[in-house]
Amino acid sequence: MRRLLALVLVLTALSSAFLAQPAPAESYGAKVASSLDPAKVLEHARALSSLGSRVVGYPGYYRAVEYIVRKLRELGYSVELQEFTVVTPVEVEAYVEVGGERLGVHAVWPNAMLVPPSTPPEGVSGKLVYVGSGEAREMDGKEVEGGIALMDFNSGGNWLRAADLGAKAAILLEPEDTSSYEALAKFTMAPLHFVRAYATREVAAKLLAHQGQLARLVVRVEMREVKAYNIVVRVNGTAYPNDAIVIAAYFDSWSVVPALSPGFVEALSPSLLLELARVLKGEPPARSVWLAFLSGFHEGLAGPRAFVERYFYSPEVASGSLRLWMMVGLQLTDESPKVSSMFVGYGLRYGAGSSVIAGKYTWVKGRLYSYSQSRELLTLVSRALGYQLKPEDLYEDYLEASGWWGTQQAPYMLVSEPATMAGTVSFTLKTAYYRGYRG
């Protein structure tokens, strides 16, 4: 809670530093940051993560759209909904029948994005064989061929070994803890059809109790083109209403098991935007601020791209009556109070190695660095944590042509990448040392 509070203050203060002309940015940023209520941020995050999977196409995602729109309207905002479509895997049914019981399981993300891990309508049948983490020594002497492999989730890509040895399917068993490395290893970009399912800890225990027994696995996943939404509100500036800065966060979630993606961590950034919307009602900035709740993030940055295509290339922008100067993305976790500024991600990799593009960020770098060293920010964050910090504990700059990945675990994407490609000086403030947990 303390680290989250500190991070919220850093993110808000740094992003607000660009909004307060002609008033001093430091004073405005500190004023906005000190008005935030971290308890409200957590309240929104808990609410969003209680709605079910927020993977686009699942009911929890559409409940999240309704929740955000409702909260913004309660604050008195006029809400704009931008509709677009994405193709996504939707789990229709998934279960195992064994020992007279039907046990619910869940489908794993498709291989090559387009090959759903579905069984034939009648399912696949075979003996349940526990193979541990799927190492060769653990499979030695076991009847893997023709069976259904029960495998620890933390097994890297060893499900491929089970497929190679002739297993009809693999059921991955819920671990105590895991990482994005393990999640990303559970599918491949090769168009391989091999059924993979996921069992929660409770179901896993029952399956392990039926080792050696004949079981039937049914999994049905459909690739559907579904509606998705971006949500936008505009806070008009007091001095420069036609100059706007977009502060954006994505509100959907992702998991290698799409049906199980409550996404508490991924709910933190849109929750901060909701709280920022409340604060800006009473502390309007000099320039206009657009708060953009984007989605389709994990579907190739579909939402951020749709937003940029509609708004950054609108007739108002083309005529000069509206100037969208930049997008500041927010991607936070509670792992560290330190924030990285970044403009290159693995979604588009635009600007990687380009000193010309990086050169456009010189004034941004100076502005962010200056404020990260300010006494106001240091005092706010130190008070939130309960101990004294140094300026270097709060902020690190990776708005560079080389070394742009900073302290992030690759691969990662940034919500601001399409806006950067559109030619604006856009960037994302991202938690430093982020380990990449999702779901």
Side-chain angles (χ1 to χ4, degrees):
M1 174 66 178
R2 284 179 176 270
R3 284 190 298 181
L4 175 60
L5 169 57
L7 184 62
V8 165
L9 293 174
V10 175
L11 281 168
T12 308
L14 288 174
S15 58
S16 299
F18 291 92
L19 315 179
Q21 291 295 342
E26 290 81 359
S27 300
Y28 182 76
K31 191 174 185 180
V32 169
S34 62
S35 299
L36 289 171
D37 185 349
K40 284 185 167 58
V41 176
L42 286 173
E43 180 184 332
H44 290 311
R46 291 189 184 106
L48 287 169
S49 60
S50 72
L51 302 175
S53 173
R54 294 199 314 283
V55 173
V56 179
Y58 283 78
Y61 166 79
Y62 298 104
R63 295 187 196 110
V65 173
E66 293 171 358
Y67 177 88
I68 293 169
V69 170
R70 183 174 71 254
K71 292 299 180 181
L72 291 170
R73 285 177 176 161
E74 287 173 0
L75 291 170
Y77 284 106
S78 175
V79 179
E80 301 174 37
L81 272 179
Q82 179 191 11
E83 183 180 306
F84 58 99
T85 60
V86 299
V87 175
T88 189
V90 177
E91 179 185 300
V92 178
E93 61 178 348
Y95 60 87
V96 180
E97 289 182 342
V98 61
E101 284 189 276
R102 176 175 287 193
L103 304 172
V105 293
H106 294 286
V108 173
W109 195 261
N111 288 329
M113 302 296 292
L114 296 170
V115 185
S118 297
T119 63
E122 68 276 11
V124 296
S125 297
K127 290 183 178 180
L128 298 177
V129 184
Y130 178 61
V131 295
S133 63
E135 296 295 334
R137 64 180 180 276
E138 295 176 282
M139 293 187 176
D140 190 29
K142 296 184 177 179
E143 294 183 48
V144 177
E145 185 175 5
I148 297 174
L150 302 177
M151 184 179 294
D152 297 337
F153 185 86
N154 290 342
S155 53
N158 287 342
W159 60 272
L160 288 164
R161 181 175 287 119
D164 191 47
L165 291 176
K168 290 184 177 179
I171 300 177
L172 304 165
L173 311 180
E174 181 183 1
E176 291 289 340
D177 193 17
T178 191
S179 68
S180 62
Y181 164 77
E182 287 289 352
L184 296 174
K186 299 306 179 287
F187 62 94
T188 174
M189 295 312 294
L192 169 67
H193 181 266
F194 182 70
V195 180
R196 290 147 293 122
Y198 178 86
T200 61
R201 199 169 293 117
E202 180 183 355
V203 171
K206 293 181 178 180
L207 292 174
L208 289 171
H210 289 291
Q211 288 182 66
Q213 296 183 28
L214 186 66
R216 184 171 77 100
L217 172 65
V218 175
V219 177
R220 185 154 66 96
V221 176
E222 295 179 354
M223 299 301 296
R224 296 177 180 172
E225 185 176 21
V226 299
K227 291 181 180 180
Y229 300 93
N230 291 328
I231 306 165
V232 184
V233 296
R234 309 186 190 197
V235 184
N236 290 326
T238 57
Y240 308 101
N242 296 328
D243 290 340
I245 293 169
V246 180
I247 303 182
Y250 69 87
F251 67 89
D252 53 332
S253 62
W254 185 87
S255 168
V256 73
V257 185
L260 297 178
S261 188
F264 175 79
V265 168
E266 290 182 290
L268 290 172
S269 295
S271 297
L272 173 56
L273 272 195
L274 282 171
E275 176 61 359
L276 190 57
R278 183 189 69 82
V279 172
L280 290 180
K281 264 293 181 180
E283 298 289 347
R287 295 189 180 94
S288 292
V289 176
W290 293 14
L291 301 178
F293 301 79
L294 308 180
S295 66
F297 178 81
H298 301 286
E299 289 74 26
L301 296 173
R305 286 189 290 110
F307 176 86
V308 168
E309 287 168 8
R310 174 171 173 175
Y311 290 103
F312 279 67
Y313 294 97
S314 67
E316 293 82 5
V317 171
S319 67
S321 60
L322 171 66
R323 291 176 289 276
L324 289 177
W325 288 103
M326 64 170 60
M327 176 186 287
V328 180
L330 302 180
Q331 292 177 223
L332 68 97
T333 75
D334 62 349
E335 294 176 278
S336 166
K338 195 170 189 177
V339 172
S340 302
S341 59
M342 320 181 76
F343 77 93
V344 181
Y346 287 84
L348 300 174
R349 290 179 67 99
Y350 180 76
S354 172
S355 57
V356 174
I357 294 174
K360 297 195 300 182
Y361 287 83
T362 301
W363 70 274
V364 175
K365 289 161 64 73
R367 191 77 170 272
L368 287 172
Y369 177 79
S370 174
Y371 191 45
S372 72
Q373 303 294 303
S374 72
R375 181 173 298 178
E376 290 93 336
L377 181 59
L378 192 61
T379 301
L380 277 171
V381 177
S382 296
R383 186 183 302 137
L385 285 172
Y387 57 86
Q388 191 64 33
L389 291 177
K390 298 176 182 178
E392 57 266 26
D393 297 325
L394 301 181
Y395 173 70
E396 56 186 18
D397 168 24
Y398 289 105
L399 301 172
E400 303 285 353
S402 60
W404 43 266
W405 51 88
T407 58
Q408 301 297 321
Q409 177 174 301
Y412 63 86
M413 296 188 293
L414 302 177
V415 72
S416 58
E417 287 185 67
T420 301
M421 184 173 261
T424 63
V425 187
S426 296
F427 61 96
T428 291
L429 294 170
K430 198 171 188 301
T431 302
Y433 310 107
Y434 176 44
R435 291 176 291 173
Y437 290 133
R438 301 184 180 92

